[in-house]
């Protein structure tokens, strides 16, 4: 579904991604793991069109997207749930969700998609008329995930979805990711909770200093000695 081919990415004159390649197949959960500053979020921003690769290319369902404007990618079936949620705090939960479904098929099917989001997150249905800025951190993360799903994506990318959440809410977020995959949506996830992420992912890539250094199934990387030492504290 998604193919990243030998991309280099820079912020101005500072190169942060070096010759990175990986693939995401349909209905997989694929994880990018690594330390802070490894380049994980930069890769998601590049896929989303917020940054442009200096070299290499990105294919989505066989079509080049590395020169497509970010606002056009949503209609191609790509959604990005960014780190830090980026919600409209003065708007209600329902209004924030509606912002994820402003065009095309997503707008036409907004009511049924919203009910699907409310089934995943019953608390949001209870708070649908509440200003998003008054919600807890966990509830705001639910809104961010729900807003991403409102576009009816075929590929959804999560950047640190469990950041700052209590352990019980982290479990809820990963349960939702599993449900999303079961429904046939492809997931690409960047996450600091390496153990939980690898337990969920079909496959994963380890980034260090802007380069892919290890790849394999989630299960195999849980047993990898370098991963255990560097990221699992074993």
């Amino acid at each position: 579904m998604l193919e990243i081919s030998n991309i280099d990415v820079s912020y101005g004159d500072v190169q942060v991604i070096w010759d990175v390649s990986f693939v995401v197949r349909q209905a997989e959960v694929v994880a990018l793991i690594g330390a802070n500053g490894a380049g994980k979020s930069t890769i998601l921003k590049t896929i989303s069109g917020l940054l442009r690769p200096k070299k290499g290319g990105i294919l989505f369902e066989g079509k080049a997207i590395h020169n497509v404007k970010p606002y056009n990618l949503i209609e191609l079936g790509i959604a990005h749930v960014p780190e830090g949620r980026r919600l409209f705090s003065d708007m209600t939960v329902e209004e924030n969700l509606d912002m994820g479904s402003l065009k095309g098929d997503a707008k036409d099917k907004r009511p049924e998609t919203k009910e699907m989001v409310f089934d995943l997150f019953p608390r949001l249905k209870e708070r649908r008329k509440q200003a998003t800025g008054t919600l807890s951190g966990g509830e705001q993360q639910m809104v961010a995930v729900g807003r991403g799903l409102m576009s009816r994506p075929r590929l959804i990318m999560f950047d640190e979805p469990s950041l700052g959440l209590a352990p019980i809410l982290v479990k809820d977020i990963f349960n939702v990711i599993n449900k999303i995959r079961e429904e046939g949506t492809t997931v690409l996830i960047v996450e600091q909770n390496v153990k939980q992420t690898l337990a969920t992912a079909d496959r994963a890539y380890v980034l260090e200093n802007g380069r892919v250094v290890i790849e394999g199934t989630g299960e195999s990387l849980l047993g990898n000695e370098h991963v255990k030492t560097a990221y699992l504290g074993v």
Side-chain angles (χ1 to χ4, degrees):
M1 175 174 271
L2 180 72
E3 183 177 358
I4 312 299
S5 299
N6 308 108
I7 62 169
D8 290 350
V9 184
S10 299
Y11 290 99
D13 294 330
V14 181
Q15 187 168 339
V16 292
I17 299 297
W18 304 78
D19 200 35
V20 164
S21 298
F22 64 90
V23 296
V24 182
R25 302 184 185 100
Q26 189 167 355
E28 278 191 317
V29 174
V30 172
L32 301 178
I33 65 171
N36 287 334
K40 307 182 301 296
S41 295
T42 297
I43 289 174
L44 295 194
K45 290 176 183 176
T46 306
I47 296 168
S48 291
L50 301 172
L51 297 170
R52 300 294 181 194
K54 293 180 67 176
K55 187 198 80 170
I58 302 172
L59 299 179
F60 179 68
E61 297 184 328
K63 297 179 181 177
I65 62 168
H66 46 273
N67 290 316
V68 175
K69 298 291 186 184
Y71 50 79
N72 288 327
L73 289 174
I74 197 76
E75 294 187 46
L76 296 180
I78 300 173
H80 185 173
V81 179
E83 181 181 358
R85 299 157 194 158
R86 308 292 179 89
L87 300 172
F88 300 96
S89 59
D90 292 334
M91 294 169 61
T92 67
V93 167
E94 192 158 23
E95 288 168 339
N96 269 277
L97 293 178
D98 288 346
M99 292 296 289
S101 57
L102 294 178
K103 289 187 175 183
D105 186 55
K107 187 173 184 178
D108 294 338
K109 296 183 178 179
R110 179 183 288 168
E112 63 191 80
T113 310
K114 196 180 298 180
E115 284 307 309
M116 179 268 290
V117 170
F118 287 151
D119 285 343
L120 286 173
F121 300 113
R123 245 179 296 184
L124 296 187
K125 189 169 188 176
E126 298 169 7
R127 291 160 172 72
R128 63 196 299 169
K129 301 301 181 184
Q130 188 171 330
T132 305
T134 66
L135 301 178
S136 70
E139 290 165 343
Q140 289 185 25
Q141 188 63 57
M142 294 175 194
V143 178
V145 173
R147 182 180 60 187
L149 292 173
M150 287 295 294
S151 67
R152 303 179 68 89
R154 294 192 294 283
L155 168 68
I156 188 165
M157 302 186 295
F158 294 106
D159 194 349
E160 304 287 2
S162 76
L163 187 66
L165 301 186
I168 190 169
L169 294 177
V170 172
K171 184 178 179 180
D172 287 346
I173 290 293
F174 278 95
N175 284 339
V176 166
I177 289 171
N178 279 322
K179 289 179 182 177
I180 291 168
R181 184 249 304 273
E182 289 168 5
E183 293 295 323
T185 302
T186 305
V187 176
L188 177 60
I189 181 172
V190 163
E191 176 59 61
Q192 288 289 328
N193 188 330
V194 173
K195 186 173 183 179
Q196 183 72 64
T197 302
L198 292 179
T200 300
D202 296 295
R203 294 184 303 106
Y205 297 84
V206 180
L207 279 173
E208 293 182 357
N209 300 315
R211 293 175 169 87
V212 173
V213 296
I214 306 173
E215 62 182 272
T217 65
E219 183 179 7
S220 70
L221 292 190
L222 276 171
N224 180 279
E225 290 301 322
H226 177 72
V227 172
K228 290 196 307 187
T229 301
Y231 305 109
L232 300 177
V234 178

